[in-house]
């Protein structure tokens, strides 16, 4: 297998970010942990949301982590794919709605 810029082994090193900025790293991980606690949304629902967002922001580490997490929480492959499609639809819509900005600018400049 060819080398990749993203090494899956690096995901295990994520906690090391505190080494170069202990205070901010600790605050981030405290926040991150709090966000994924059970609340109005279940941990399962949050995992599915995280998987969809991971695809939208194109984070291979997050995709790996939340695919694994989702499997452990009983999320089916169909639910995962549906979540990915929901994220893709929002991302596509956000891109296309900016077409209105382009249309407005074109109209203004071509007068």
């Amino acid at each position: 297998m060819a080398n990749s810029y993203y090494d899956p082994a690096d995901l295990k090193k994520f906690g090391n970010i505190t080494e170069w900025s202990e205070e901010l790293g600790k605050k981030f991980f405290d926040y991150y942990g709090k966000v994924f606690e059970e609340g109005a949304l279940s941990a399962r629902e949050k995992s599915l949301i995280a998987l969809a967002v991971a695809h939208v922001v194109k984070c291979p580490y997050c995709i790996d982590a939340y695919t694994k997490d989702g499997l452990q929480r009983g999320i089916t492959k169909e639910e995962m794919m549906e979540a990915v499609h929901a994220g893709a639809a929002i991302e596509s819509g956000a891109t296309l709605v900016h077409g209105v900005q382009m249309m407005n600018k074109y109209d203004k400049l071509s007068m």
Side-chain angles (χ1 to χ4, degrees):
M1 183 175 185
N3 287 341
S4 170
Y5 182 79
Y6 295 102
D7 182 352
D10 285 342
L11 181 56
K12 293 178 183 164
K13 299 175 187 175
F14 187 31
N16 297 351
I17 65 164
T18 59
E19 291 176 5
W20 290 13
S21 181
E22 186 175 350
E23 179 185 359
L24 292 175
K26 182 180 178 330
K27 286 181 180 184
F28 168 76
F29 284 116
D30 288 346
Y31 168 74
Y32 192 87
K34 193 76 172 157
V35 164
F36 285 96
E37 289 178 0
E38 293 277 340
L41 296 173
S42 69
R44 185 182 189 279
E45 291 167 322
K46 290 178 182 186
S47 181
L48 198 52
I49 291 167
L51 181 63
V53 171
H55 281 79
V56 171
V57 300
K58 298 164 184 63
C59 175
Y61 301 116
C62 303
I63 292 167
D64 285 357
Y66 285 99
T67 299
K68 180 180 178 183
D69 187 70
L71 279 168
Q72 292 170 341
R73 294 182 186 282
I75 298 172
T76 67
K77 64 184 179 185
E78 293 83 8
E79 290 172 311
M80 289 184 190
M81 187 56 74
E82 192 169 325
V84 170
H85 277 283
I90 295 299
E91 184 178 31
S92 297
T95 299
L96 291 172
V97 77
H98 279 84
V100 174
Q101 180 74 20
M102 178 266 309
M103 293 165 72
N104 290 342
K105 188 67 170 181
Y106 179 89
D107 289 345
K108 185 185 251 183
L109 293 174
S110 64
M111 293 182 147

